[in-house]
Amino acid sequence: MDTRISGNTKLLGVIGTPIKHSGSPVMYNFCFDYYGMDCVYLAFECDESQVKDTLAAMRRLNMKGANVTMPCKKEAARNMDKLSPAAKFVGAVNTIVNDSGVLTGHMTDGMGVVLDLRDHGHSVADKDIVLLGAGGAAMAIMVQCALDGAKSVTVFNRSAAGVAKAKAIGENVREDGIICKMDFHLLSESERMHERIRHADILIQATSVGMRPVQDGVSLVTDMSVFHEKLVVYDVIYNPAVTKLMEDALAHGCKEENVIGGKGMLLWQGAGAFKLFTGLEMPTQELKAFLAGREAMERKI
Ligand code: NAD
């Protein structure tokens, strides 16, 4: 048993299902240890029908905060006392801060990409961005890019329903006074998509295309002439670490430092949440070293 747990220890956790595989407890408890904070972070099985009870328990037990994962993100958003701008636009919450019983919902998934890009030396401010996908991850990224000053975000999605949903979110963002040119198209408009990528600063792939095991080895970008040394390519997929899109970008003129996979998104959305929970920066370098050591040890076992 952890000897640092006391009568005053504050509880945080992640809710969702399935939850046993979650890497969040290891990540946050490492950071609490790093700062010597009297906090502990656990994982709790919770489906959508249990969200209201779980939120009541958060208040009752005076939990400091929680992360929310699938399938509870939307139901959590519907039951918050307050929402951050990103959570309000997306209609989903992945981080809850409990301030004396007042629960504020935040969405840091998009922040995960923006902060990871920043960690690689790229800002989204004033940039032309092409975004593939209109699912949960894509919408969080679209909204965060707009909030962080992107010049334009052009969204391409497989279904017309997804395009319409993205458009509605985009309209809400603009009605709130956020200046960002946004337009929305079907992925089947392949010529337009490739042309937009060719002239973009940043391409963000936020569909599940390329993900192991079902969609591994495929990419939505089929015209290799769109890649060039100034284009930044970000793929939210983290398994495999190098997707077909990333391989193609590297083989056709993109610089290695400008081709980024989704592993850092996990870390940086956590860094965003950690700051909301504690007001402190997540010790990302130390955490990366700790997680790499753990991975190496697990491979040996
Ligand atoms: P979602 O189900 O909400 O959205 C899936 C998106 O992929 C939709 O836009 C859908 O149209 C598109 N899509 C799926 N198959 C397609 C195909 N064959 N052709 C074209 N489009 C296709 O899922 P989500 O939560 O948005 O997650 C999307 C991906 O992002 C997943 O692979 C997930 O693992 C990954 N993700 C990564 C991180 C990270 O931290 N790196 C975080 C969240 C999500």
Side-chain angles (χ1 to χ4, degrees):
M1 188 175 143
D2 197 326
T3 48
R4 73 185 165 78
I5 292 174
S6 72
N8 195 37
T9 303
K10 291 281 173 283
L11 177 63
L12 297 94
V14 56
I15 64 168
T17 186
I19 205 66
K20 285 191 182 74
H21 70 284
S22 172
S24 296
V26 169
M27 181 167 86
Y28 290 102
N29 286 317
F30 172 87
C31 298
F32 296 142
D33 275 347
Y34 177 87
Y35 281 115
M37 294 178 77
D38 198 2
C39 295
V40 68
Y41 187 108
L42 300 173
F44 299 102
E45 281 289 340
C46 173
D47 65 25
E48 276 173 293
S49 70
Q50 296 164 321
V51 166
K52 275 189 187 159
D53 283 353
T54 304
L55 297 177
M58 266 190 82
R59 291 189 180 91
R60 171 67 191 84
L61 300 178
N62 196 23
M63 282 177 68
K64 195 175 167 70
N67 290 113
V68 185
T69 187
M70 299 304 288
C72 301
K73 291 181 181 185
K74 287 188 175 166
E75 181 61 8
R78 285 191 279 270
N79 289 283
M80 290 293 103
D81 300 311
K82 292 184 192 168
L83 289 171
S84 73
K88 178 185 74 175
F89 293 131
V90 175
V93 151
N94 78 336
T95 303
I96 303 171
V97 176
N98 181 8
D99 185 10
S100 309
V102 177
L103 302 185
T104 303
H106 301 261
M107 171 45 72
T108 68
D109 282 349
M111 214 184 270
V113 171
V114 170
L115 293 177
D116 196 20
L117 280 165
R118 193 188 66 180
D119 193 42
H120 285 82
H122 308 291
S123 160
V124 297
D126 293 322
K127 298 290 164 50
D128 290 312
I129 296 170
V130 171
L131 175 64
L132 307 183
M139 288 303 90
I141 294 165
M142 179 185 85
V143 164
Q144 198 63 47
C145 288
L147 288 171
D148 288 346
K151 193 203 292 177
S152 73
V153 182
T154 308
V155 176
F156 290 90
N157 187 62
R158 178 171 56 174
S159 70
V163 169
K165 185 189 75 180
K167 205 169 177 179
I169 294 174
E171 271 158 21
N172 288 339
V173 170
R174 275 195 298 248
E175 273 168 21
D176 238 43
I178 289 138
I179 297 162
C180 176
K181 188 175 178 300
M182 287 186 252
D183 58 340
F184 307 90
H185 306 278
L186 285 167
L187 274 169
S188 55
E189 295 174 55
S190 174
E191 211 169 303
R192 187 201 295 263
M193 178 190 79
H194 286 105
E195 203 46 31
R196 289 292 177 97
I197 296 172
R198 195 189 312 282
H199 297 291
D201 299 299
I202 305 174
L203 165 65
I204 302 176
Q205 195 305 113
T207 74
S208 36
V209 175
M211 187 167 78
R212 214 171 256 162
V214 181
Q215 305 212 56
D216 195 9
V218 233
S219 169
L220 294 168
V221 180
T222 50
D223 178 351
M224 298 303 120
S225 72
V226 300
F227 297 117
H228 54 82
E229 65 167 13
K230 287 200 176 135
L231 180 69
V232 175
V233 175
Y234 194 100
D235 198 331
V236 301
I237 303 297
Y238 53 86
N239 183 21
V242 181
T243 60
K244 170 85 165 72
L245 169 68
M246 293 167 71
E247 278 173 8
D248 288 345
L250 288 166
H252 293 89
C254 291
K255 287 186 182 167
E256 202 173 331
E257 62 268 30
N258 290 351
V259 178
I260 307 158
K263 205 172 168 188
M265 179 181 173
L266 276 176
L267 180 80
W268 286 101
Q269 62 79 24
F274 186 75
K275 189 150 192 188
L276 291 165
F277 291 145
T278 65
L280 298 169
E281 297 298 334
M282 182 176 259
T284 47
Q285 291 311 322
E286 292 80 358
L287 179 60
K288 278 185 205 169
F290 169 73
L291 293 175
R294 234 177 103 96
E295 256 177 50
M297 212 157 77
E298 277 166 6
R299 273 199 300 273
K300 271 192 210 156
I301 293 168

